[in-house]
Amino acid sequence: MSFVFYILAAITLAGGLAAVLLKNMVHCALAVSIAFAGLAFLFLGLDAQFAGFAQILVYVGAVAILVVFAILLTRSSDTPKDGGVFSRTWLAGLVVAAAVFAVIGWAVLSSVGGLPHEAAVPTVTVLQIGQALMGPYVLPLEIVALLLTVATIGAVIVAIHEKEDAK
Amino acid sequence: MLGEGILKGLAETARNFVGSYVSKERLTTVEYPEQRIAPIEATRDFPFLVYDGKDWDAGLRCVACQICEKECPPKCIFIEKSKDKKPDAVGKQQFYPARFDIDISVCMSCQICVEVCPFDAIKMNTEFELSTTDRFGGLLLDRQQLAKSNEYYHEIHPTEASGVDARLAAERAAAEAKAKAAAEAAAAKAAAAAASSAAKPAGGEA
Amino acid sequence: MVEKLDQIFVLLSHWLVGFLPAGLQQAAGIVIGVVVIVCLYPALFALAVLMERKGLGRMQNRYGPNRVGPYGILQPIADGIKSLTKEDIVPLSADSAVHFLAPIVVVVASFMGFAVLPMGRNMVLVDMDAGLLFYFAMGASTELAVFMAGWSSRNKYSLLGAMRAVAQMISYEVPLLLSSVAVVMITGSLSLTKIVSAQNAYTGIFPHWYIFTPWGFAGFLMYAISTTAETNRSPFDLPEGESEIVAGYHTEYSGFKFALFFLGEYVAMFSISGLGTTLFLGGWSAPFSFLTWIPSWIWFFSKLMLSICVFIWLRGTLPRLRQDQLMNFAWKFVLPLSLINLLVAALWRFLGEGWQRWVFCSAILLIAYVFMGLQEARSDHFGPRSYRYAE
Ligand code: SF4
Ligand code: SF4
């Protein structure tokens, strides 16, 4: 188990690092999808089938494609001429990344104490997830749904606006 | 109703599918190498050179004027004009192509060479089984490979060939008539000159 | 005897595995399953290509291939040898690593789907609780592979083809998922084996296949349309529209790599037909209760091949769509209808047994279909295209 975990972790980290360090933007996008896939397999290793497959479906299937489209439609996918992959504002980026990491790390560490150590692996079936979503978590679910609907309508409005502009 | 057309189309293809097994008339294709359809008269693919008479080398109508070489859009004709002249089919002294190559891997079958030739020397062929194992040399046809008799031309494009023959015959007749007239005029002149010269000494004598 | 024949492959595999020490048995069972799948589907691929060429020929009143072997049945072998011996050309400016990986990813991702398809009673490689989700997750990864192929070739036709393919696959994935969700709602499970066993029941002699319910029928139609688009089959074969963009994303692939793309396309077709069979056509269950003595795997594979025949038939009939028609069709017709179908499936669930739900659900779907069909017919996007920038 832990052996598989280390391999997957290494793949995920390598993918993430490659995504940051590679020069060609499309290579970066492909590398980040490797990181997504590695993460999905980590979920599977934790017996979280639903989360793992949803990760592949949404991140590898849709988000990676979205990233790729964004790259191809906005700027040249070629290697930058000046050679550097570090932007001029790398210090600010570093600070933001460190802050995000600190928040997540704090959240994870402070929640570990609340969990029973060495608990038996809970078998969460898809049915249970569905019932949880429709039961106790129905309000967050609806809020997210509303958010997404608003985003979709916004996208449609942007598209329609462009069309009228052109006429 | 949406989807009606799709159903109709599906029915049509299904009818074709079953029908092609039931009735042989539906099948529009033939089993090619064994069975052949005679090419229709207007077929054309690559040019060939027409010759008159029996000997292809002597009878080539082409006089190496190089008009076709200049006009060919993809420049796939290569001609080397001869240094000397030799008699053509009717015995007139003409230049002839020492080399005449057409690269049929480049030729686009546009027929422009045929249209510009003033001597009806180049025509379009219907031969299509031209594949070779050598894609460079094998597709560069030389003078001998290009030469085809006038009879062959009649065989593949009968109407067109008769027209060309009639035109050529008319031209030849006109040329002959002209030559005859010229010869007669020359003869008359010669006769007149002879008469006058005959008269002069006679007169001188007189 | 009948039982034995039905389970023959399961028993064979057990017998083979029995020779190994107990610790290895489970892994060996999976390996055998994988090997069988990896051998079986390429064989079916050869058969399907032959059927396609013959069938299309007959639909166009031609003979089709009839030279290699009696009635041309050895044609696939000749094709295979040809593609194996052809030169493998990688364009000079191509991104060679990605160019090399793309066909492999396509084939692997297409094969993955078979892992969860029940191909007969007890004949499923891994019986996953979230089988359907696994299937769609694997299907989604082919999109990235197609993009990799198109982008790495450094060819404008390849890139255009890849963009078309990706846009099309993403658009049609939504109705594909939604039409399957209806089945999940009724069955109450994402496990494909459970979905099949839910349909493996009979009223009189008739089976409880989902296609014989109003929502199932509509769902099946939506599913069929989406799968045709998802596998880039005619009339949705714009990504390889040879009259416009040579061969789309695999323009720059030759020899065996091209054959891999070809294989991937057909394997995807098989697996998505298999999924359709599982979801709507009762999987391996027999069409009449008195036919249950015929082995379950025969039923599964006959349904699969029947779906392939329908794919071929459609290809022989319909002309290719235009890009804007394709997108409009996905977002303005198939998607709303599958959403309505989802609602109808929920109604079906809560209306309880009885004739009312048949009338009610059919009526809703029929009205929606007619209304939207009229809307479609009246709208101008099926007429000549108007250009926004290129006038
Ligand atoms: S084929 Fe005709 S145009 Fe060409 S060189 Fe000979 S005579 Fe001139
Ligand atoms: S047919 Fe056209 S391309 Fe061919 S040799 Fe004649 S002029 Fe050239």
Side-chain angles (χ1 to χ4, degrees):
Chain A
M1 174 60 225
S2 70
F3 180 62
V4 176
F5 170 80
Y6 284 122
I7 292 181
L8 287 177
I11 291 176
T12 312
L13 279 181
L17 272 181
V20 182
L21 293 177
L22 285 180
K23 287 188 180 167
N24 190 319
M25 292 286 270
V26 177
H27 283 168
C28 295
L30 294 177
V32 88
S33 55
I34 292 179
F36 287 152
L39 209 57
F41 286 113
L42 282 177
F43 285 146
L44 291 183
L46 293 172
D47 259 353
Q49 281 193 356
F50 189 83
F53 295 144
Q55 167 88 13
I56 295 185
L57 186 62
V58 174
Y59 281 86
V60 180
V63 173
I65 293 287
L66 201 68
V67 169
V68 152
F69 259 75
I71 292 173
L72 286 187
L73 292 183
T74 50
R75 50 178 284 179
S76 142
S77 60
D78 289 332
T79 318
K81 291 280 178 307
D82 46 12
V85 287
F86 297 104
S87 73
R88 255 171 278 116
T89 52
W90 64 273
L91 199 65
L94 189 68
V95 170
V96 172
V100 171
F101 185 75
V103 169
I104 293 177
W106 171 75
V108 170
L109 286 180
S110 63
S111 67
V112 163
L115 287 177
H117 224 59
E118 294 293 314
V121 182
T123 48
V124 183
T125 62
V126 178
L127 189 68
Q128 282 168 304
I129 294 178
Q131 273 160 353
L133 279 180
M134 283 295 136
Y137 295 106
V138 71
L139 193 65
L141 182 77
E142 288 304 318
I143 291 176
V144 170
L146 197 67
L147 194 70
L148 291 179
T149 314
V150 169
T152 314
I153 293 174
V156 169
I157 286 175
V158 168
I160 287 177
H161 185 66
E162 188 196 348
K163 197 169 185 173
E164 280 173 354
D165 255 12
K167 269 180 186 165
Chain B
M1 189 77 168
L2 195 73
E4 214 176 314
I6 295 181
L7 292 183
K8 267 188 208 152
L10 286 175
E12 183 63 39
T13 37
R15 208 175 307 132
N16 276 349
F17 182 80
V18 178
S20 68
Y21 282 103
V22 182
S23 80
K24 278 261 180 278
E25 291 97 77
R26 290 187 90 102
L27 292 167
T28 48
T29 53
V30 296
E31 293 290 276
Y32 157 62
E34 293 95 42
Q35 248 173 306
R36 282 151 190 279
I37 302 175
I40 52 168
E41 218 188 309
T43 315
R44 72 165 196 239
D45 43 32
F46 299 116
F48 70 96
L49 296 175
V50 191
Y51 67 85
D52 295 307
K54 289 273 166 290
D55 181 12
W56 71 267
D57 197 15
L60 277 183
R61 286 183 191 166
C62 175
V63 297
C65 69
Q66 292 178 311
I67 293 175
C68 57
E69 185 185 31
K70 292 194 187 79
E71 292 292 340
C72 171
K75 296 273 172 280
C76 63
I77 304 181
F78 176 78
I79 300 172
E80 220 172 68
K81 199 172 179 173
S82 63
K83 299 273 174 325
D84 55 334
K85 287 188 177 184
K86 65 177 183 185
D88 66 359
V90 285
K92 203 168 156 201
Q93 288 292 321
Q94 295 279 23
F95 288 108
Y96 60 95
R99 251 182 92 183
F100 196 115
D101 297 337
I102 294 182
D103 189 346
I104 57 166
S105 67
V106 177
C107 170
M108 59 185 189
S109 310
C110 65
Q111 206 179 345
I112 285 176
C113 49
V114 173
E115 273 152 27
V116 296
C117 177
F119 300 93
D120 284 305
I122 190 165
K123 294 291 170 198
M124 297 307 273
N125 204 345
T126 56
E127 170 71 42
F128 57 89
E129 286 156 320
L130 296 161
S131 47
T132 85
T133 48
D134 173 12
R135 64 179 160 145
F136 302 111
L139 293 175
L140 186 72
L141 302 186
D142 65 14
R143 224 156 55 102
Q144 184 166 8
Q145 285 162 305
L146 288 170
K148 297 273 173 351
S149 67
N150 196 21
E151 285 73 53
Y152 174 81
Y153 181 35
H154 272 278
E155 211 171 283
I156 58 174
H157 299 303
T159 326
E160 194 188 300
S162 322
V164 167
D165 270 6
R167 193 166 71 235
L168 282 183
E171 269 171 25
R172 208 167 289 145
E176 261 162 31
K178 211 169 139 198
K180 213 174 180 183
E184 265 164 20
K189 222 188 213 165
S196 68
S197 64
K200 235 184 225 155
E205 255 174 33
Chain C
M1 185 59 214
V2 170
E3 271 299 289
K4 278 259 170 60
L5 207 60
D6 186 24
Q7 295 296 304
I8 183 159
F9 296 114
V10 181
L11 293 176
L12 259 177
S13 155
H14 276 210
W15 175 73
L16 274 176
V17 163
F19 292 111
L20 288 168
L24 287 176
Q25 285 195 353
Q26 205 194 351
I30 290 185
V31 169
I32 290 179
V34 169
V35 169
V36 168
I37 286 176
V38 168
C39 297
L40 174 71
Y41 283 96
L44 275 185
F45 158 65
L47 181 67
V49 171
L50 184 67
M51 267 167 48
E52 172 143 28
R53 293 182 59 182
K54 290 289 256 187
L56 283 183
R58 288 292 172 169
M59 280 173 204
Q60 296 155 2
N61 288 327
R62 296 184 284 113
Y63 284 102
N66 61 355
R67 291 281 153 177
V68 195
Y71 299 101
I73 52 171
L74 298 182
Q75 185 69 40
I77 300 178
D79 288 348
I81 294 174
K82 180 183 133 193
S83 70
L84 269 174
T85 51
K86 278 205 162 181
E87 185 184 358
D88 173 31
I89 302 167
V90 181
L92 199 61
S93 59
D95 196 315
S96 53
V98 183
H99 190 265
F100 174 77
L101 275 177
I104 300 176
V105 179
V106 165
V107 171
V108 170
S110 323
F111 267 110
M112 288 294 247
F114 291 117
V116 289
L117 279 188
M119 299 171 208
R121 206 187 304 264
N122 302 329
M123 282 164 63
V124 56
L125 201 57
V126 230
D127 185 7
M128 256 185 238
D129 193 31
L132 191 64
L133 206 60
F134 171 84
Y135 185 91
F136 285 126
M138 290 306 133
S141 351
T142 53
E143 282 159 27
L144 206 60
V146 164
F147 171 78
M148 280 161 68
W151 175 78
S152 67
S153 300
R154 292 279 170 136
N155 175 322
K156 56 189 168 209
Y157 300 120
S158 297
L159 192 60
L160 278 176
M163 294 297 244
R164 280 187 182 188
V166 169
Q168 170 175 335
M169 283 163 114
I170 289 201
S171 307
Y172 279 90
E173 203 160 81
V174 182
L176 184 73
L177 280 168
L178 284 177
S179 52
S180 325
V181 163
V183 173
V184 174
M185 259 166 58
I186 298 291
T187 319
S189 169
L190 278 170
S191 154
L192 293 177
T193 33
K194 290 221 184 80
I195 290 176
V196 175
S197 42
Q199 298 177 71
N200 190 21
Y202 298 89
T203 308
I205 58 165
F206 297 107
H208 285 189
W209 295 359
Y210 288 143
I211 193 178
F212 297 130
T213 59
W215 62 269
F217 184 69
F220 180 71
L221 283 186
M222 297 301 122
Y223 182 87
I225 293 172
S226 317
T227 49
T228 323
E230 194 77 358
T231 50
N232 298 337
R233 290 282 303 185
S234 171
F236 303 108
D237 57 349
L238 286 104
E240 9 192 303
E242 49 280 89
S243 53
E244 303 135 28
I245 50 171
V246 191
Y249 53 88
H250 48 59
T251 302
E252 291 293 357
Y253 282 90
S254 55
F256 201 62
K257 284 189 197 150
F258 173 75
L260 281 183
F261 272 109
F262 205 43
L263 173 72
E265 195 181 314
Y266 274 81
V267 166
M269 223 160 94
F270 288 132
S271 81
I272 217 154
S273 307
L275 187 72
T277 305
T278 306
L279 291 179
F280 297 99
L281 305 179
W284 43 259
S285 63
F288 296 107
S289 60
F290 52 83
L291 288 177
T292 40
W293 55 272
I294 295 179
S296 54
W297 41 272
I298 290 191
W299 286 122
F300 178 80
F301 284 104
S302 9
K303 287 175 197 172
L304 188 75
M305 287 326 265
L306 201 71
S307 324
I308 300 296
C309 292
V310 173
F311 270 125
I312 296 171
W313 191 7
L314 281 175
R315 176 167 173 192
T317 305
L318 301 177
R320 186 179 300 138
L321 259 68
R322 217 168 49 204
Q323 186 74 30
D324 62 322
Q325 292 172 333
L326 177 97
M327 287 296 161
N328 279 321
F329 190 58
W331 294 104
K332 294 189 183 160
F333 182 75
V334 186
L335 181 64
L337 236 123
S338 35
L339 278 174
I340 291 173
N341 191 39
L342 211 58
L343 277 180
V344 170
L347 265 181
W348 178 269
R349 175 109 202 218
F350 292 115
L351 276 179
E353 299 284 328
W355 59 269
Q356 293 98 328
R357 67 173 184 179
W358 284 87
V359 176
F360 209 60
C361 293
S362 317
I364 295 181
L365 282 172
L366 210 65
I367 290 170
Y369 178 76
V370 170
F371 177 73
M372 287 185 28
L374 286 181
Q375 198 82 349
E376 281 291 278
R378 225 183 294 124
S379 65
D380 55 353
H381 53 249
F382 286 118
R385 173 160 198 185
S386 61
Y387 292 93
R388 210 192 304 167
Y389 298 114
E391 215 76 60

